[in-house]
Amino acid sequence: HVGVWEGTWIRLDADAKEIERFMGVLTKKIVDNQWVQTNTYQFADGRSVTQEFVGTVAGEGVVKIESDEIPFCNYNLIAEEHGDNLIIFRVSDKATGVLIGVETINLSDENTCIRTTQGFTAEGKFRGGMMIVERRVG
């Protein structure tokens, strides 16, 4: 999963209707035994958003991801390996422990990553998801 990845992100509402589409460039590397990831998104209206994440080993095949940025600083972010090509990523609220998101990250081949997400409200109601197809570009 290390490298520079570029792809299209498609956000869907709870009825699977497209509500937003944008491009993302993710830089993923290992520095001093930590996972370091920078996500930069480009939106059709010209906006650009950058997010920074750092991950540390939390167990066999488990990485705890952290960010100082809102809203991510309020979440527990856990990535778990399931074989060589699949990561399941869980997002829960730090204050309540409630699961608010799940993401599968499937490295379908050396240079293609397919990601799907599901988001939930604090009451557990499905609020929407995303489909992301990325290609390694560096």
Side-chain angles (χ1 to χ4, degrees), residues 6 13 18 22 31 39 51 56 60 62-63 65 69-70 72-73 83 85 92 96-97 101 105 108 113 118 120 131-132:
E6 181 177 273
D13 68 12
E18 184 176 325
F22 54 93
V31 178
N39 298 3
Q51 300 166 333
T56 55
E60 183 70 31
V62 179
V63 175
I65 309 291
E69 299 175 36
I70 293 174
F72 303 102
C73 61
N85 300 323
S92 60
T96 65
I105 304 169
S108 61
C113 184
Q118 294 182 38
F120 307 98
M131 177 70 180
I132 306 152

Side-chain angles (χ1 to χ4, degrees), residues 61-138:
V62 179
V63 175
K64 181 177 181 178
I65 309 291
E66 297 182 288
S67 177
D68 292 333
E69 299 175 36
I70 293 174
F72 303 102
C73 61
N74 298 316
Y75 302 152
N76 286 317
L77 310 161
I78 303 294
E80 296 177 279
E81 294 178 322
H82 293 271
D84 292 336
N85 300 323
L86 180 66
I87 294 172
I88 297 178
F89 193 71
R90 292 177 291 120
V91 180
S92 60
D93 184 283
K94 279 185 182 177
T96 65
V98 171
L99 182 70
I100 57 174
V102 175
E103 179 174 3
T104 60
I105 304 169
N106 185 348
L107 192 61
S108 61
D109 65 47
E110 184 176 301
N111 295 307
T112 306
C113 184
I114 309 299
R115 298 168 47 183
T116 58
T117 71
Q118 294 182 38
F120 307 98
T121 67
E123 296 76 32
K125 183 179 176 187
F126 178 64
R127 64 177 177 82
M130 278 197 286
M131 177 70 180
I132 306 152
V133 178
E134 298 171 319
R135 305 264 185 258
R136 189 186 324 250
V137 295

Side-chain angles (χ1 to χ4, degrees), residues 24-64:
V25 176
L26 284 63
T27 302
K28 305 172 185 182
K29 54 189 170 183
I30 298 173
V31 178
D32 296 329
N33 207 33
Q34 292 185 318
W35 181 259
V36 178
Q37 182 169 322
T38 302
N39 298 3
T40 301
Y41 309 110
Q42 296 290 330
F43 297 88
D45 64 4
R47 284 181 301 134
S48 178
V49 175
T50 299
Q51 300 166 333
E52 303 280 338
F53 302 92
V54 175
T56 55
V57 175
E60 183 70 31
V62 179
V63 175
K64 181 177 181 178

